[in-house]
Coordinates of all heavy atoms in Angstrom, one line a residue:
Y617 N -22.0 10.2 -7.1 CA -21.9 11.6 -7.6 C -23.0 12.4 -7.2 O -24.0 11.9 -6.6 CB -21.8 11.5 -9.1 CG -20.7 10.6 -9.6 CD1 -20.9 9.4 -10.3 CD2 -19.3 10.9 -9.4 CE1 -19.9 8.6 -10.8 CE2 -18.3 10.1 -9.9 CZ -18.5 9.0 -10.6 OH -17.5 8.2 -11.0
K618 N -23.0 13.6 -7.6 CA -24.0 14.6 -7.2 C -25.4 14.2 -7.8 O -26.5 14.6 -7.2 CB -23.7 16.1 -7.6 CG -22.4 16.6 -6.9 CD -22.1 18.0 -7.3 CE -20.9 18.6 -6.5 NZ -20.5 19.8 -7.0
N619 N -25.3 13.5 -8.9 CA -26.7 13.0 -9.4 C -27.2 11.8 -8.8 O -28.2 11.3 -9.3 CB -26.5 12.8 -11.0 CG -25.5 11.7 -11.3 OD1 -24.9 11.0 -10.4 ND2 -25.2 11.6 -12.6
G620 N -26.5 11.3 -7.8 CA -27.0 10.1 -7.0 C -26.4 8.8 -7.6 O -26.7 7.7 -7.0
E621 N -25.8 8.8 -8.8 CA -25.3 7.6 -9.3 C -24.0 7.1 -8.6 O -23.2 7.9 -8.2 CB -25.0 7.8 -10.9 CG -26.1 8.1 -11.7 CD -27.1 7.0 -11.8 OE1 -26.6 5.8 -11.9 OE2 -28.3 7.2 -11.9
N622 N -23.8 5.8 -8.6 CA -22.7 5.2 -7.9 C -21.4 5.6 -8.5 O -21.3 5.7 -9.8 CB -22.7 3.7 -7.8 CG -23.7 3.2 -6.7 OD1 -24.3 4.0 -6.0 ND2 -23.8 1.9 -6.6
L623 N -20.3 5.8 -7.8 CA -19.0 5.9 -8.4 C -18.7 4.9 -9.4 O -19.0 3.7 -9.2 CB -17.9 6.0 -7.3 CG -18.0 7.0 -6.2 CD1 -16.8 6.9 -5.4 CD2 -18.1 8.4 -6.8
L624 N -18.1 5.2 -10.5 CA -17.8 4.2 -11.6 C -16.4 3.5 -11.4 O -15.6 4.1 -10.7 CB -17.8 4.9 -12.9 CG -19.1 5.4 -13.4 CD1 -18.9 6.1 -14.8 CD2 -20.1 4.4 -13.5
D625 N -16.3 2.4 -11.9 CA -15.0 1.6 -11.9 C -14.4 1.7 -13.3 O -15.0 1.2 -14.2 CB -15.3 0.2 -11.5 CG -14.1 -0.7 -11.4 OD1 -12.9 -0.2 -11.7 OD2 -14.2 -1.9 -11.0
V626 N -13.3 2.4 -13.4 CA -12.7 2.5 -14.7 C -12.3 1.2 -15.4 O -12.3 1.0 -16.6 CB -11.5 3.4 -14.6 CG1 -10.2 2.7 -14.1 CG2 -11.0 4.0 -16.0
A627 N -12.2 0.1 -14.5 CA -11.8 -1.2 -15.1 C -12.9 -1.7 -16.0 O -12.7 -2.5 -16.9 CB -11.4 -2.1 -14.0
T628 N -14.2 -1.5 -15.5 CA -15.3 -2.1 -16.2 C -16.2 -1.0 -16.9 O -17.1 -1.4 -17.7 CB -16.1 -2.8 -15.2 OG1 -16.6 -1.9 -14.2 CG2 -15.4 -3.9 -14.5
G629 N -16.0 0.3 -16.4 CA -17.0 1.2 -16.9 C -18.4 1.2 -16.2 O -19.3 1.9 -16.6
Q630 N -18.5 0.2 -15.2 CA -19.8 0.0 -14.5 C -19.7 0.6 -13.1 O -18.6 0.9 -12.6 CB -20.1 -1.5 -14.5 CG -20.2 -2.2 -15.9 CD -21.4 -1.6 -16.7 OE1 -22.5 -1.4 -16.2 NE2 -21.0 -1.2 -17.9
P631 N -20.8 0.7 -12.5 CA -20.8 1.2 -11.1 C -19.9 0.4 -10.2 O -19.9 -0.9 -10.3 CB -22.2 1.0 -10.6 CG -23.1 1.2 -11.9 CD -22.2 0.5 -12.9
S632 N -19.1 0.9 -9.3 CA -18.2 0.2 -8.4 C -19.1 -0.2 -7.2 O -20.2 0.2 -7.0 CB -17.1 1.1 -8.0 OG -17.5 2.4 -7.5
T633 N -18.4 -0.9 -6.3 CA -19.1 -1.5 -5.1 C -18.1 -1.3 -3.9 O -17.0 -0.9 -4.0 CB -19.3 -3.0 -5.2 OG1 -18.0 -3.7 -5.0 CG2 -19.9 -3.4 -6.6
P634 N -18.7 -1.5 -2.6 CA -17.8 -1.4 -1.5 C -16.6 -2.3 -1.4 O -15.6 -2.0 -0.8 CB -18.8 -1.7 -0.3 CG -20.0 -1.3 -0.8 CD -20.1 -1.6 -2.3
F635 N -16.5 -3.3 -2.2 CA -15.3 -4.1 -2.3 C -14.3 -3.4 -3.2 O -13.1 -3.7 -3.1 CB -15.6 -5.5 -3.0 CG -16.3 -6.5 -2.2 CD1 -17.0 -7.5 -2.6 CD2 -16.1 -6.5 -0.8 CE1 -17.6 -8.4 -1.8 CE2 -16.6 -7.4 0.1 CZ -17.4 -8.4 -0.5
D636 N -14.7 -2.4 -3.9 CA -13.8 -1.5 -4.6 C -13.4 -0.3 -3.9 O -12.1 0.1 -3.9 CB -14.4 -1.1 -6.0 CG -14.9 -2.3 -6.8 OD1 -14.3 -3.3 -6.8 OD2 -16.0 -2.1 -7.4
Y637 N -14.3 0.4 -3.2 CA -14.0 1.7 -2.7 C -14.2 1.7 -1.1 O -14.0 2.8 -0.5 CB -14.9 2.8 -3.3 CG -16.3 2.5 -3.2 CD1 -17.1 2.5 -2.0 CD2 -17.1 2.3 -4.4 CE1 -18.4 2.3 -1.9 CE2 -18.5 2.1 -4.4 CZ -19.1 2.1 -3.1 OH -20.5 1.9 -3.1
G638 N -14.6 0.6 -0.5 CA -14.8 0.6 0.9 C -16.0 1.5 1.3 O -17.1 1.3 0.8
A639 N -15.7 2.5 2.2 CA -16.8 3.4 2.6 C -17.1 4.4 1.5 O -18.1 5.1 1.5 CB -16.4 4.1 3.9
G640 N -16.1 4.6 0.6 CA -16.3 5.6 -0.4 C -15.0 6.5 -0.6 O -13.9 6.2 -0.1
H641 N -15.2 7.6 -1.2 CA -14.1 8.5 -1.5 C -14.0 9.5 -0.3 O -15.0 10.1 0.1 CB -14.2 9.3 -2.8 CG -13.1 10.0 -3.3 ND1 -12.7 11.3 -2.7 CD2 -12.1 9.8 -4.2 CE1 -11.6 11.6 -3.3 NE2 -11.2 10.8 -4.2
V642 N -12.8 9.8 0.1 CA -12.6 10.6 1.3 C -13.1 12.0 1.1 O -13.0 12.6 0.0 CB -11.1 10.7 1.7 CG1 -10.3 11.4 0.6 CG2 -10.9 11.3 3.1
N643 N -13.7 12.6 2.1 CA -14.3 14.0 2.1 C -13.8 14.6 3.4 O -14.5 14.6 4.4 CB -15.8 13.9 2.1 CG -16.5 15.2 2.0 OD1 -15.9 16.3 2.0 ND2 -17.8 15.2 2.0
P644 N -12.6 15.3 3.3 CA -11.9 15.7 4.6 C -12.7 16.8 5.3 O -12.7 16.8 6.6 CB -10.6 16.2 4.1 CG -10.7 16.4 2.6 CD -11.7 15.5 2.1
V645 N -13.3 17.7 4.7 CA -14.1 18.7 5.4 C -15.2 18.1 6.2 O -15.3 18.5 7.4 CB -14.6 19.9 4.5 CG1 -15.4 20.8 5.2 CG2 -13.4 20.5 3.7
A646 N -15.9 17.3 5.7 CA -17.0 16.6 6.4 C -16.4 15.8 7.6 O -17.0 15.6 8.7 CB -17.8 15.7 5.5
A647 N -15.3 15.2 7.3 CA -14.6 14.3 8.3 C -14.2 15.1 9.6 O -14.1 14.5 10.6 CB -13.4 13.6 7.7
L648 N -14.1 16.3 9.4 CA -13.6 17.1 10.6 C -14.8 17.3 11.6 O -14.7 17.6 12.7 CB -13.1 18.5 10.2 CG -11.8 18.6 9.6 CD1 -11.6 19.8 8.7 CD2 -10.7 18.4 10.6
D649 N -16.0 17.1 11.1 CA -17.3 17.2 11.9 C -18.2 16.0 11.6 O -19.3 16.2 11.0 CB -17.9 18.6 11.7 CG -19.2 18.7 12.5 OD1 -19.3 18.1 13.6 OD2 -20.1 19.5 12.1
P650 N -17.9 14.9 12.0 CA -18.6 13.6 11.6 C -20.0 13.4 12.4 O -20.8 12.6 12.1 CB -17.7 12.5 11.8 CG -16.9 12.9 13.0 CD -16.7 14.5 12.8
G651 N -20.1 14.1 13.5 CA -21.3 13.9 14.4 C -21.1 12.7 15.3 O -21.1 12.9 16.6
L652 N -20.9 11.6 14.8 CA -20.8 10.3 15.6 C -19.5 9.6 15.1 O -19.3 9.7 13.9 CB -22.0 9.5 15.5 CG -23.4 10.0 15.9 CD1 -24.5 9.0 15.5 CD2 -23.4 10.4 17.4
V653 N -18.9 8.8 15.9 CA -17.8 7.9 15.5 C -18.0 6.6 16.1 O -18.6 6.4 17.1 CB -16.4 8.5 15.9 CG1 -16.2 9.8 15.2 CG2 -16.3 8.6 17.4
Y654 N -17.5 5.6 15.4 CA -17.3 4.2 15.9 C -15.9 4.1 16.5 O -15.0 4.0 15.7 CB -17.5 3.2 14.8 CG -18.9 3.1 14.2 CD1 -19.2 3.9 13.1 CD2 -19.8 2.2 14.6 CE1 -20.5 4.0 12.5 CE2 -21.1 2.2 14.2 CZ -21.4 3.1 13.1 OH -22.7 3.0 12.5
D655 N -15.8 4.1 17.8 CA -14.5 4.0 18.4 C -14.1 2.6 18.8 O -15.0 1.7 18.8 CB -14.5 4.9 19.7 CG -13.0 5.4 20.1 OD1 -12.1 5.0 19.4 OD2 -13.0 6.2 21.0

Side-chain angles (χ1 to χ4, degrees):
Y617 301 113
K618 292 179 181 179
N619 63 6
E621 297 292 326
N622 282 0
L623 299 183
L624 294 179
D625 181 356
V626 73
T628 63
Q630 300 299 313
S632 54
T633 76
F635 282 153
D636 306 322
Y637 56 68
H641 191 281
V642 67
N643 182 0
V645 174
L648 288 161
D649 180 26
L652 305 173
V653 295
Y654 293 89
D655 207 353

